[in-house]
Amino acid sequence: MSDTTTEQTGASHASRRSFRERVAGLPKPVKIVAWVLLAVLLYLLPIINPPILTTPDIDFGGVLLTVTLYVLVALGLNIVVGYAGLLDLGYVGFYAVGAYGVAVLTSQQASWPFLLALPVAVLAALVSGVILGAPTLRVRGDYLAIVTLGFGEIIRLIAVNSESLGAASGIPGVGTPPSIELFDVPKLVWDGGVASVNVDDTSTFLLFSVVDLIPYYWLTLTVVFLVIWADIRIKASRVGRAWEACREDEDAAELMGVPTFKFKLLAFAMGAFIGGLSGALYAGKQGFISPNSFLLLFSILFIAAVVVGGQGNRWGVIVGAVLVAYLPERFREFTEWRVLVFGIALMLLASFRPQGLLPPRRTVRARKLEERLGALQEGGDRRA
């Protein structure tokens, strides 16, 4: 590498570092106002319908709902894979437990109210995480991945072969939150970059109806904000530091007095809790579920969202989930080539950015230190 290239790389790193420092140095009220404005913008996205972001071939509110569900799943899986370092290839199993829990309790089989069935279904997903994790977390690496992969397939096969769960036909008539008719909102129409209000085309906000998915998006986005707040608090606590120690070197953490099994089981349970929550919200939005909604492919997509964004970095996995869920819907004209393009993108990412788009800061620092030590060692060998 030439001196000019080295100087340019150093300058770019310095500029990014100075930008982070400037943002971190902003007064706390300014940061709060910026976050509030960002949250308001996210809530208004399905009403504003930005011309670049909107999806012309499919309902934009439904796409945003799918994106937020993927974000919620990625945040839960990041606890397991990114924080605790446990490779879980059957995460869709917890997603299915939450969805089927709500479906069974709110359909004609039990007819529970949705808001009462939701915590029960999420609790069932958490218990399933503990039941799976207690005997299996004593194995590591590829063996753990195989066990979790089997768990996801077992849950799907139970749903396929159980008549009480609708078998292969699934469960129709899944309950929804209470419907409340609010108001009519005229939609914005963009023409040549200019927004206009079409008073003849209004959206009646009948909360949590099957027709209008915007309220579901608002509900899921609110849940995502709550999960992010809890994630920030937990990551900065003793539990987060214990997870990091388990991920880096489990044997060393055990020798230092960290009860690694307990903290790994806690990570598994929390990941199952969030996965079940996202599945329950998905079932309420869908109104119908079947085993085909919980194929192994979805576990791969969930893992891809975490890896693409940067496992261990909550903001990175959010970006990864948005890309994995949004881009296929935005460019539906390439439906036949989506899987191929996605595979090529993963290959390029693995080759040129193996830590993900937004890796954790500690990963970046460790890589820089490793490069410097390698350069020093190479220089010493040359002098010798």
Side-chain angles (χ1 to χ4, degrees), residues 126-145:
L126 187 150
V127 172
S128 68
V130 174
I131 293 175
L132 173 66
T136 60
L137 286 178
R138 302 185 188 280
V139 300
R140 306 179 188 178
D142 298 339
Y143 299 101
L144 179 61

Side-chain angles (χ1 to χ4, degrees), residues 130-374:
V130 174
I131 293 175
L132 173 66
T136 60
L137 286 178
R138 302 185 188 280
V139 300
R140 306 179 188 178
D142 298 339
Y143 299 101
L144 179 61
I146 293 171
V147 171
T148 54
L149 178 64
F151 167 75
E153 280 298 291
I154 288 171
I155 294 296
R156 188 185 66 84
L157 292 175
I158 289 175
V160 169
N161 295 287
S162 177
E163 293 295 334
S164 61
L165 298 179
S169 300
I171 302 177
V174 179
T176 62
S179 297
I180 304 173
E181 187 172 347
L182 295 182
F183 43 76
D184 292 343
V185 177
K187 293 184 178 180
L188 292 179
V189 179
W190 294 86
D191 186 11
V194 179
S196 60
V197 179
N198 186 359
V199 295
D200 296 327
D201 186 8
T202 61
S203 175
T204 301
F205 278 3
L206 183 63
L207 274 184
F208 306 115
S209 67
V210 179
V211 177
D212 196 351
L213 296 178
I214 294 177
Y216 284 102
Y217 165 67
W218 289 342
L219 173 63
T220 310
L221 184 61
T222 303
V223 173
V224 167
F225 286 149
L226 294 176
V227 170
I228 290 175
W229 174 81
D231 185 272
I232 293 173
R233 303 280 294 182
I234 293 174
K235 185 63 170 63
S237 68
R238 175 174 172 265
V239 175
R241 293 191 293 271
W243 285 341
E244 185 172 356
C246 294
R247 181 192 64 238
E248 297 300 330
D249 193 328
E250 186 175 342
D251 294 329
E254 192 74 36
L255 290 174
M256 294 299 293
V258 177
T260 57
F261 178 78
K262 181 181 76 173
F263 283 107
K264 288 194 300 181
L265 186 60
L266 177 61
F268 223 70
M270 292 188 65
F273 176 89
I274 298 176
L277 177 59
S278 57
L281 293 173
Y282 167 79
K285 159 255 181 180
Q286 198 73 6
F288 166 80
I289 61 170
S290 70
N292 291 330
S293 303
F294 311 102
L295 300 174
L296 175 63
L297 172 65
F298 292 98
S299 278
I300 303 302
L301 290 176
F302 298 157
I303 285 285
V306 174
V307 174
V308 167
Q311 54 184 346
N313 184 352
R314 73 179 65 87
W315 310 115
V317 301
I318 290 175
V319 171
V322 171
L323 293 177
V324 170
Y326 170 75
L327 291 182
E329 300 297 337
R330 178 63 179 83
F331 302 102
R332 292 180 70 87
E333 59 269 21
F334 300 107
T335 302
E336 297 180 358
W337 304 97
R338 282 189 297 178
V339 176
L340 176 62
V341 173
F342 186 63
I344 293 175
L346 285 179
M347 291 174 58
L348 294 175
L349 184 69
S351 300
F352 300 102
R353 192 78 174 181
Q355 288 80 22
L357 296 176
L358 295 175
R361 294 182 182 178
R362 53 163 182 77
T363 303
V364 177
R365 290 195 296 265
R367 187 176 182 183
K368 290 180 180 178
L369 180 60
E370 183 178 352
E371 291 176 352
R372 291 175 182 174
L373 291 176

